Amino acid sequence: MKTSFRFPAQTPEQAADWIEIFLLIRIPKKFDLDPHEDIQVLVPMYRGAAGVDALNLRLQGALNPKSIHKNEKKMYNTIFREGDKIMQIRNDYEKKVFNGDIGRIEEISKREQTFLINYEGNKITYNWSEADQFVLAYAISIHKSQGSEFPAVVIPILTEHYMMLQRNLLYTAVTRAKQLCVLVSNKRALQIAVSTETVSKRFTGLRWRLEDLIGKAPQKLVKDLPIMQDFIANKDQIELNGLSLKKVKKSEPKNPRKPRTK
């Protein structure tokens, strides 16, 4: 059974304070969950004091602070440290790691100029030049979390996130939790998210591409496409007209001539 809590936060700074307390003290103590392995912070936006970027820096300092016993390397304006939680952000079929995979930096070799990252037992070596394939993942965007589940999630929902506050986004975040969901929000921001149902239309050009492909294809090939089965099953006339594809009914002549009688 999933447990849910909401804690009030009027400012991004207050929300960030709460999130750090939850990850370091409250959730591990009450629910016996590991802050690295079991708890994920999900955020609507990257910018701001309670955005993905700022929270990653803050939580890295709290959960994996700088130490003489840990190697670290600054790459692409980010300091990566042994023990850091990271996320792969693109598919790499050669390494067999994929967009959204989360792991831990096990070793940074300054001699070999490599990172060794452990993805739940699958250990992958990256050259330093490949460090643009992963990012810190103490906090990740709600969008990036789609398709994943975590024992516990902590979600800041604030008015500074107003551009992204939508019901479907909130639903996505809350349903990532398997055991515990903690909302850090104020009532106004939560009301905006719950009451906003607007979903942006996506203009992919897919329909145009399909119609263009069908329009240029031989008629025999077009008839074999699954999309044409309804047309064929109903024995309607098929008309290929430039970039469009439509059903055309057989029409009767307007003034049919009567057969002459002898």
Side-chain angles (χ1 to χ4, degrees):
M1 182 177 178
K2 187 189 300 185
T3 304
S4 300
F5 297 98
R6 186 184 77 85
F7 288 82
Q10 301 303 322
T11 66
E13 291 75 18
Q14 189 178 18
D17 290 341
W18 270 120
I19 291 169
E20 185 175 337
I21 292 170
F22 289 138
L23 264 70
L24 266 68
I25 303 171
R26 291 207 171 187
I27 296 178
K29 184 177 180 180
K30 185 174 179 59
F31 296 94
D32 193 28
L33 295 174
D34 183 90
H36 288 92
E37 303 295 335
D38 301 324
I39 309 170
Q40 186 61 59
V41 179
L42 305 179
V43 192
M45 296 180 67
Y46 283 85
R47 300 190 301 273
V52 171
D53 296 333
L55 285 174
N56 266 321
L57 291 177
R58 179 165 182 162
L59 296 175
Q60 181 190 43
L63 294 170
N64 190 33
K66 184 180 180 68
S67 169
I68 60 173
H69 302 295
K70 298 176 183 177
N71 288 331
E72 61 180 47
K73 176 65 177 175
K74 185 174 183 178
M75 300 292 295
Y76 305 103
N77 296 319
T78 300
I79 294 176
F80 293 105
R81 187 174 296 136
E82 289 177 343
D84 272 338
K85 183 178 184 179
I86 62 90
M87 180 175 65
Q88 178 81 10
I89 58 172
R90 67 182 66 164
N91 294 329
D92 190 324
Y93 296 99
E94 291 185 2
K95 298 182 186 297
K96 296 183 179 179
V97 287
F98 305 98
N99 186 15
D101 287 352
I102 292 178
R104 297 279 296 278
I105 299 179
E106 198 165 282
E107 181 183 352
I108 298 176
S109 174
K110 295 185 177 181
R111 181 178 179 180
E112 301 294 332
Q113 296 189 352
T114 58
F115 295 91
L116 179 63
I117 298 180
N118 189 342
Y119 294 96
E120 298 182 349
N122 182 25
K123 298 183 179 182
I124 305 296
T125 299
Y126 295 79
N127 296 322
W128 282 358
S129 61
E130 298 175 307
D132 60 342
Q133 293 192 32
F134 53 85
V135 296
L136 293 175
Y138 298 98
I140 65 175
S141 70
I142 296 173
H143 173 74
K144 280 290 187 181
S145 74
Q146 294 185 74
S148 301
E149 285 187 320
F150 311 94
V153 298
V154 180
I155 312 162
I157 299 292
L158 305 166
T159 49
E160 76 160 3
H161 302 145
Y162 71 95
M163 292 181 63
M164 298 295 293
L165 295 183
Q166 297 179 2
R167 185 185 299 179
N168 64 324
L169 194 74
L170 179 60
Y171 174 83
T172 297
V174 170
T175 54
R176 298 311 94 197
K178 293 192 290 186
Q179 180 179 342
L180 173 68
C181 176
V182 178
L183 287 174
V184 181
S185 68
N186 54 62
K187 289 184 178 180
R188 175 59 179 157
L190 205 54
Q191 287 173 348
I192 293 172
V194 171
S195 61
T196 304
E197 297 185 74
T198 305
V199 179
S200 300
K201 292 184 178 181
R202 297 182 180 181
F203 298 97
T204 63
L206 178 61
R207 179 177 177 179
W208 181 88
R209 292 174 183 271
L210 289 173
E211 290 180 339
D212 184 50
L213 177 64
I214 292 172
K216 292 178 179 178
Q219 189 167 343
K220 183 180 182 303
L221 176 62
V222 172
K223 289 182 179 180
D224 292 336
L225 292 174
I227 196 174
M228 300 302 300
Q229 297 307 309
D230 287 340
F231 289 84
I232 297 170
N234 296 325
K235 296 181 180 180
D236 288 323
Q237 182 179 346
I238 298 173
E239 180 183 57
L240 296 176
N241 182 20
L243 299 181
S244 65
L245 182 65
K246 58 184 180 181
K247 278 199 308 189
V248 179
K249 294 183 179 180
K250 295 180 180 180
S251 58
E252 297 294 332
K254 291 183 179 179
N255 297 311
R257 294 183 179 180
K258 295 181 180 180
R260 293 181 179 180
T261 56
K262 295 183 180 180

